[in-house]
Amino acid sequence: MESRLSAADQSIEGPLRGHHHKTYVIPLPGRVGRYKLREPRRGVLWFDRRCFASEEELLRALAGQVSRIPGIVEVEPGVLIQGFIEGRTLGHGVLPSKALSERHRGQLGALFGELTSFDARAIEAQRVCDGADLPLDGDSHAFLTRLIRFTEVRVYRQHGAPYHALFRDLGVREWALDDLARRAESLTERAFALVHGDLHRRNLIVDAAGDLWTIDWELAMIGDPLYDLATHLHLMRYSAKEAGRVGRLWQRAVEERRPECVKGWETDLPVLLAYKRAQSVYTDVIRAAAALVGPDGRPNRRQLPRLAWRIKGALDAARRPLGLTVEPSVREVIGAYNRWLRTR
């Protein structure tokens, strides 16, 4: 694709930063605004379960049901592209833990409520998950168990096989997720809804009018709506006070639309947060290792100190969910990665 996009064309922007895709922002002749043209990155690991085959199909199906999401244009039969939301990310130029403004808090609450206000199973968009693999509506235990097993089997045992020695060196046991799977058995039944699955600051865009838009729906799925709150709180790194405020915001917004979606939420939220902290360890350890290997296969250790701090933070946060018995220092994390690099 890059060869087809002229670097001299000032109307084209990109490729933009993204884990799964290279994204270019382009104008379309005869249409107002700009649009996103995406090319999948080769060999990229997916650390999350996916439900929908096409983000564009999903967004088209959500039009009129969820506010402030990218619009979709069908440029030719069967070819959909999405509009580019002009603005800045919610996290641009602010501390990661910064509280939301009253306006943005209200619009986030509206999003939470809208996601539970319609029958997600009736969404007309192709699925990549097998229908038989979907838990029954309301079976929050089965929903979380499937996420845990995806992390264990697909991320750790399959994709993570080259890094198993590194995980052991960092103190992560082979069966570290078993205790978390047992905790999942206690979850309350909650009616299912559409879940965005990745609500963090870079996926929340503030436009020129100051309104909050939600982008990057490729990890959306049908499941326990409390998972969206847990993911949001985990990724946003709010202060304890702001996390409590956003939790109550979620509860009020969802209860107003669909009360059966909030049953047992205060008791179950810590379990879902524990999963998110554990999942981050597997994701961050593998991504950091991949980042330390250059395109030519040679070690690239310049990033190691910065990455080691991130890994230490993830391990510290997941100490209880993963049953970690050691708390490696930054120096010990660096040592573990250096030993792994030497044995590649």
Side-chain angles (χ1 to χ4, degrees):
M1 179 185 293
E2 289 182 77
S3 62
R4 299 198 299 271
L5 297 177
S6 170
D9 189 342
Q10 298 301 309
S11 65
I12 296 174
E13 181 181 352
L16 303 182
R17 174 184 176 185
H19 179 68
H20 298 113
H21 300 91
K22 292 180 181 179
T23 300
Y24 298 85
V25 183
I26 63 172
L28 287 181
R31 293 185 181 272
V32 177
R34 298 192 295 167
Y35 295 82
K36 291 168 65 172
L37 191 62
R38 301 188 307 169
E39 180 180 33
R41 293 185 183 275
R42 296 180 181 178
V44 171
L45 305 182
W46 286 81
F47 295 96
D48 299 87
R49 288 174 62 93
R50 296 179 63 210
C51 182
F52 296 97
S54 165
E55 181 183 358
E56 286 72 26
E57 278 189 19
L58 173 62
L59 286 168
R60 183 168 65 173
L62 294 181
Q65 301 191 84
V66 180
S67 304
R68 292 182 298 279
I69 59 176
I72 295 298
V73 171
E74 187 167 12
V75 293
E76 57 183 73
V79 180
L80 306 176
I81 63 174
Q82 59 179 285
F84 178 72
I85 305 303
E86 304 284 355
R88 60 174 177 82
T89 62
L90 186 62
H92 180 74
V94 303
L95 294 174
S97 59
K98 180 177 174 61
L100 300 179
S101 69
E102 194 66 33
R103 180 177 185 176
H104 293 158
R105 195 179 295 121
Q107 292 179 340
L108 178 65
L111 172 66
F112 286 142
E114 287 175 341
L115 290 175
T116 60
S117 63
F118 57 90
D119 182 3
R121 292 177 182 267
I123 294 173
E124 295 184 0
Q126 182 182 355
R127 314 290 170 83
V128 292
C129 51
D130 187 341
D133 189 42
L134 292 174
L136 296 176
D137 184 32
D139 193 346
S140 302
H141 162 224
F143 171 76
L144 181 55
T145 298
R146 280 166 169 76
L147 293 178
I148 293 170
R149 292 310 173 203
F150 181 90
T151 299
E152 179 182 31
V153 175
R154 290 288 300 278
V155 177
Y156 175 71
R157 301 197 183 283
Q158 295 180 14
H159 295 323
Y163 315 99
H164 284 178
L166 175 60
F167 277 104
R168 288 193 298 270
D169 214 1
L170 292 170
V172 180
R173 298 171 297 125
E174 184 176 359
W175 305 104
L177 289 168
D178 283 3
D179 288 343
L180 193 54
R182 283 188 284 271
R183 290 183 66 186
E185 296 174 3
S186 67
L187 292 183
T188 306
E189 290 190 359
R190 268 178 301 280
F192 282 3
L194 181 67
V195 174
H196 178 280
D198 202 21
L199 286 174
H200 56 75
R201 294 183 187 275
R202 290 193 301 275
N203 287 341
L204 295 169
I205 305 298
V206 181
D207 68 12
D211 287 324
L212 199 62
W213 293 67
T214 309
I215 65 170
D216 286 358
W217 291 77
E218 60 190 355
L219 299 184
M221 56 185 165
I222 299 170
D224 185 352
L226 187 59
Y227 182 73
D228 253 348
L229 175 61
T231 301
H232 181 70
L233 295 180
H234 172 67
L235 295 176
M236 292 292 282
R237 296 167 56 187
Y238 291 128
S239 67
K241 180 179 179 180
E242 181 67 5
R245 185 182 291 124
V246 172
R248 292 187 295 273
L249 167 78
W250 177 90
Q251 182 255 329
R252 289 192 302 269
V254 174
E255 189 170 46
E256 181 179 335
R257 296 293 188 103
R258 202 169 168 200
E260 60 269 32
C261 287
V262 303
K263 291 171 56 179
W265 78 275
E266 288 182 288
T267 301
D268 292 349
L269 180 59
V271 182
L272 289 163
L273 282 171
Y275 167 68
K276 295 305 300 182
R277 291 169 184 144
Q279 181 195 33
S280 285
V281 168
Y282 292 94
T283 299
D284 291 351
V285 167
I286 294 174
R287 283 183 175 173
L292 292 172
V293 179
D296 59 357
R298 295 177 179 273
N300 177 15
R301 291 184 170 86
R302 288 178 298 176
Q303 300 184 64
L304 186 49
R306 177 182 60 83
L307 293 172
W309 276 104
R310 179 172 182 175
I311 298 303
K312 175 175 170 50
L315 290 169
D316 289 348
R319 184 174 59 83
R320 292 185 64 184
L322 292 177
L324 305 181
T325 58
V326 296
E327 295 184 34
S329 64
V330 171
R331 178 174 293 184
E332 288 170 330
V333 172
I334 290 174
Y337 274 96
N338 274 324
R339 286 189 291 275
W340 176 79
L341 285 168
R342 286 196 295 268
T343 60
R344 288 189 68 255

